[in-house]
Amino acid sequence: MITKQEILEIGKFLKTHALRGELNAMLDVDIDYAEEDHPLIVEIDGIFVPFYIESIRTKGAETFLIKLKGVDNQEEAQSFVNRLIYGLRKDVEEYFGDEDLELASDFVGYELIDEEFGPIGKIEGIEDSTSNVLFIVRTLTDEEIFIPVADEFIVGIDDENKIIRTELPSGLLDINHK
C-alpha cells in the first residue's frame, strides 16, 4: 500500500477529452517523466492507487492529454476530473536529480516568521492554480492570507522546528487586507 510519505504532488486532472477516456491534465513534470513508465498516483476512497499511462501528448506548456491504461471511455475518465496527481517520491526526486527536493507542499504546517514583522502565522496549504505558487497562511488573528513562494523572500528553513524565516517586501502583507 502506498503511503502519503511516499508520494509528491505533481499535477491535477482538469477535465475529460473526447470519448476514448483521455484526460486533460496539468503536470509539473515533462512528458519524458511520464514516458519512463512512472505511475501516476491518484487518491481514490482514501487509498493511493497507481495508474499507468497508455498514451500521452502535449497540449500546452504544462498541459497534456493523457490516456490511462484501463480507462477506456468518457464515463470512466470523469471520475478522475479535479483529482490531484501524485508521483512516487523516489521517482520524482530521481527525475529532478535532487535527493533533497523540496516542494512547496512539503511546508504545510510550518510557522512563517518574518525578519521585520515577526510571527505571521502557520502555512495551511498551497495555492498553485496560477503560475505564481502561494502559501496559504492562517495568521495569528485567524485571517487567511497569501504569501508568494519565492526563494528571494526565504531567509532560512528550520525543518526540525518547522519554521520558515522570511524577509518579505514592504507592503506585501498589506495587499492581503484590501
Side-chain angles (χ1 to χ4, degrees):
M1 187 153 106
I2 300 170
T3 66
K4 183 79 172 167
Q5 292 73 31
E6 295 176 283
I7 59 175
L8 290 172
E9 183 181 326
I10 60 170
K12 183 177 185 177
F13 288 113
L14 304 174
K15 60 184 179 180
T16 61
H17 178 81
L19 302 174
R20 275 186 354 111
E22 278 187 308
L23 289 150
N24 187 333
M26 183 177 289
L27 293 176
D28 296 330
V29 293
D30 293 327
I31 197 166
D32 54 327
Y33 174 88
E35 289 175 338
E36 291 180 19
D37 207 29
H38 295 298
L40 300 183
I41 299 165
V42 179
E43 185 176 2
I44 299 175
D45 296 329
I47 298 171
F48 296 103
V49 180
F51 291 88
Y52 288 88
I53 296 173
E54 185 174 305
S55 66
I56 185 170
R57 54 195 168 115
T58 57
K59 186 172 183 216
E62 294 178 342
T63 56
F64 301 88
L65 293 177
I66 297 174
K67 168 77 174 70
L68 297 173
K69 291 179 182 176
V71 178
D72 298 319
N73 59 53
Q74 189 172 14
E75 292 77 33
E76 292 172 347
Q78 185 63 40
S79 67
F80 289 85
V81 172
N82 291 322
R83 290 190 188 257
L84 295 176
I85 302 169
Y86 301 92
L88 290 172
R89 181 179 289 270
K90 66 178 182 64
D91 292 342
V92 176
E93 288 174 348
E94 181 180 300
Y95 172 76
F96 284 107
D98 183 3
E99 291 300 319
D100 296 320
L101 178 70
E102 292 184 309
L103 300 177
S105 59
D106 291 340
F107 298 118
V108 171
Y110 277 57
E111 180 85 21
L112 208 59
I113 301 175
D114 189 73
E115 298 292 299
E116 182 180 338
F117 305 109
I120 295 172
K122 189 174 265 192
I123 299 170
E124 287 190 330
I126 304 299
E127 172 56 58
D128 62 359
S129 62
T130 65
S131 60
N132 296 321
V133 177
L134 304 168
F135 286 130
I136 302 170
V137 179
R138 178 67 54 191
T139 68
L140 302 176
T141 58
D142 202 34
E143 294 177 81
E144 184 178 87
I145 64 170
F146 298 91
I147 304 290
V149 178
D151 288 339
E152 60 267 22
F153 298 158
I154 297 174
V155 175
I157 300 172
D158 178 352
D159 288 317
E160 188 175 321
N161 295 307
K162 292 193 166 201
I163 295 172
I164 296 178
R165 297 201 176 280
T166 62
E167 202 169 286
L168 299 175
S170 171
L172 182 67
L173 293 176
D174 296 332
I175 293 172
N176 286 282
H177 299 290
K178 294 187 179 187

